[in-house]
Amino acid sequence: MSSVDVIVVGSGPGGSITARECAQAGLRVIVIEEGQWVEPGTVRPFSLEQMRRQYRNEGLTVALGRPSVAYTEGRCAGGGSEVNSGLYHRPPAGLLERWAKNYRMDDLSDQALAPHHATVEARLAVQQVMAGRSPASDVLRRGSDALGWAGFDVPRWATPLADGTGAPVTRQTMTRTYLADALAAGADLRVGMRAERLVIEAGRCRGVVVRDAATGRTTVLRAPLVVVCAGAIQTPALLLRSGVKAGGHVGRHLAVHPTVKAVARFPDEINDPADVATFQVKLGSWLSFGGSASGPPLLALHLADSWPAFGSRLADWRRSTAYYSAITGTGRGRVRAVPGRADPLVTYGLTTQDMASLRTGLGRLLHLLLAAGAEEIYPGTSGAAIVREQADVAPAARALGRSTASVMTVHLMGSVPMGGDESASACDPWGRVRGVEGLRVNDTSLFPEAVGVNPQGTLMALAHRNVEEMLS
């Protein structure tokens, strides 16, 4: 049995920020992380080794539905920040004000969050890296220029080489920044420890029961405050295993950005297996295009649904890269704890509108890649035909249906939503879980809706805001 001031479950961006701010305020902090510490720089980004060591279930997780939606979760010290490309967005203009109005949350606006964004951006050295020098990015730039669409280089938390050339040498992940700061301030990181359930006594959270992955032994860690930051899948799963339902809103409102992909082959070599395109194209508030990690194993995965037709193209992998079309989904998913099983059951229902949007998005992605000079495009749908010219686009888009679509996402949120209305939210606007004293959430689970962009920038500023209020 151990007693501290704060237990933080999860060491991703929300957990690392929470731990750092609490430790620097002089509180005794334990951070519980189910994965292991992987020394920064020792694993090649976007490799099979990284998938084995830093992803949950080696990256093979899925939300069941028709079609099912594949998703990924980081499981390591630093969480998702260690495995993603470090692309950074502030929330779209007006989003926070809409949330404040629709979900009754005071002090939530672009202006209120701006100082917290500035803090995050300074600590992570957010900047534009490799602008104009990535062949995979140039594809999207050429295509958007040809079609007159809006595109931009996305800032990253990464530092370039001294002369500004080559791939970024350092992504400013949590193990290099916030988590390192927390440890330097005295926080205690426990890796390889799974949070089995919360200790709740007389309506108050008193601690966490953790299981050591190496020995199988369980230990009770006690603290007057527990902050759960395990992500939009594992956070609701832990709450549900602990009997926390918060009015029935835990795990019921999962929101994602449904995404479809296509692999495009060009006359010249464009593939950098150690990095991704930073240029993105945005059409309205609901549709965006960008580049995906495209090392040979991942390209093979992208081509798997039509391997007999497309598999031979992998020999040309240096001339091929995967690109995506992502929508802001209108559907919702659910996370359920399953007795006797470590992993929760995750389901997601794409709406009829979502399916129409995915078809539109795929069609426009194909137009974009052809405009950029693609010789051949291999859509990520089962039984797809090769796209070589504009006349092939409409049939390829129409072929995307519930039985043929290969849909994935890397953006998960909304499963323990915050809000001012007790009848419609699991947490108050600051992340306090309703009905249980001494228990908070501080990750993307809090978002009441999908944000329409990479959610980590919004999360990190929101996490700072919430911890500041908590410490006050």
Side-chain angles (χ1 to χ4, degrees):
M1 184 177 293
S2 177
S3 181
V4 292
D5 296 312
V6 184
I7 298 172
V8 179
V9 179
S11 64
S16 289
I17 288 172
T18 302
R20 184 188 87 150
E21 297 303 296
C22 289
Q24 290 185 346
L27 299 179
R28 296 170 298 166
V29 180
I30 289 181
V31 182
I32 302 303
E33 170 56 53
E34 186 176 0
Q36 298 293 330
W37 179 279
V38 177
E39 189 64 24
T42 61
V43 175
R44 184 165 60 85
F46 313 116
S47 64
L48 286 177
E49 181 186 6
Q50 185 180 59
M51 294 181 73
R52 286 193 295 266
R53 296 180 63 186
Q54 293 185 284
Y55 283 81
R56 182 176 299 279
N57 298 328
E58 300 184 3
L60 301 175
T61 43
V62 66
L64 301 178
R66 190 171 179 270
S68 295
V69 180
Y71 65 91
T72 58
E73 294 180 273
R75 191 183 70 163
C76 58
S81 76
E82 309 296 317
V83 300
N84 66 29
S85 55
L87 300 182
Y88 178 91
H89 295 261
R90 289 194 179 193
L95 175 76
L96 300 178
E97 285 79 3
R98 188 174 78 244
W99 284 3
K101 177 181 178 181
N102 292 347
Y103 301 100
R104 295 171 49 186
M105 292 186 283
D106 296 332
D107 193 30
L108 188 63
S109 64
D110 293 341
Q111 182 178 3
L113 224 56
H116 302 298
H117 276 294
T119 299
V120 171
E121 290 156 14
R123 182 64 188 95
L124 299 184
V126 173
Q127 60 187 296
Q128 284 195 338
V129 178
M130 294 283 291
R133 281 188 291 273
S134 163
S137 283
D138 286 341
V139 166
L140 295 166
R141 184 179 290 104
R142 289 197 308 269
S144 62
D145 287 347
L147 296 172
W149 294 354
F152 55 97
D153 278 290
V154 182
R156 302 175 77 178
W157 59 71
T159 56
L161 292 171
D163 62 359
T165 63
V169 293
T170 305
R171 284 181 299 122
Q172 300 300 307
T173 63
M174 294 302 104
T175 53
R176 287 186 167 110
T177 57
Y178 279 98
L179 186 56
D181 294 345
L183 299 179
D188 179 7
L189 173 64
R190 309 278 183 92
V191 297
M193 304 290 284
R194 172 182 167 83
E196 293 285 354
R197 61 180 177 85
L198 305 171
V199 179
I200 299 175
E201 300 167 349
R204 172 175 284 277
C205 188
R206 305 285 185 178
V208 184
V209 179
V210 299
R211 181 181 298 277
D212 188 317
T215 67
R217 294 179 56 189
T218 59
T219 306
V220 178
L221 305 178
R222 290 191 172 269
L225 177 63
V226 175
V227 186
V228 183
C229 310
I233 302 299
Q234 303 306 319
T235 286
L238 174 59
L239 298 184
L240 291 169
R241 288 198 302 271
S242 308
V244 177
K245 299 181 180 179
H249 297 291
V250 174
R252 287 181 175 271
H253 307 281
L254 179 67
V256 306
H257 296 149
T259 301
V260 292
K261 294 184 178 180
V263 175
R265 192 181 75 183
F266 290 83
D268 303 315
E269 293 187 357
I270 62 169
N271 192 316
D272 180 356
D275 208 6
V276 299
T278 60
F279 194 85
Q280 291 184 351
V281 180
K282 191 79 173 172
L283 295 182
S285 61
W286 63 276
L287 181 60
S288 59
F289 310 102
S292 294
S294 296
L298 292 174
L299 281 182
L301 186 62
H302 298 321
L303 298 173
D305 284 316
S306 298
W307 188 257
F310 299 160
S312 62
R313 266 64 177 185
L314 195 59
D316 264 347
W317 71 268
R318 284 285 185 185
R319 295 200 289 141
S320 301
T321 294
Y323 293 92
Y324 69 79
S325 170
I327 67 170
T328 303
T330 60
R332 286 293 183 268
R334 187 168 179 182
V335 180
R336 297 175 175 89
V338 180
R341 295 187 61 87
D343 292 332
L345 173 65
V346 183
T347 56
Y348 189 85
L350 287 158
T351 64
T352 300
Q353 179 181 334
D354 290 338
M355 293 302 301
S357 296
L358 286 173
R359 282 189 286 272
T360 298
L362 177 60
R364 292 183 181 178
L365 174 63
L366 299 175
H367 281 302
L368 179 68
L369 296 173
L370 288 172
E375 294 179 330
E376 292 187 345
I377 308 172
Y378 321 117
T381 54
S382 178
I386 295 174
V387 173
R388 296 187 177 93
E389 57 187 8
Q390 297 294 341
D392 299 330
V393 170
R398 286 196 301 268
L400 189 153
R402 291 189 182 273
S403 61
T404 61
S406 179
V407 184
M408 59 83 61
T409 189
V410 293
H411 300 156
L412 303 141
M413 60 212 95
S415 50
V416 191
M418 62 183 180
D421 184 353
E422 292 188 26
S423 67
S425 58
C427 298
D428 77 0
W430 305 97
R432 298 182 187 90
V433 178
R434 299 191 186 282
V436 184
E437 294 294 323
L439 179 61
R440 291 184 179 235
V441 168
N442 209 17
D443 60 22
T444 58
S445 303
L446 292 175
F447 294 3
E449 299 174 348
V451 296
V453 296
N454 187 308
Q456 286 199 116
T458 303
L459 162 64
M460 289 187 285
L462 189 71
H464 266 284
R465 163 193 180 267
N466 292 351
V467 177
E468 181 179 88
E469 185 275 340
M470 182 179 80
L471 292 174
S472 70

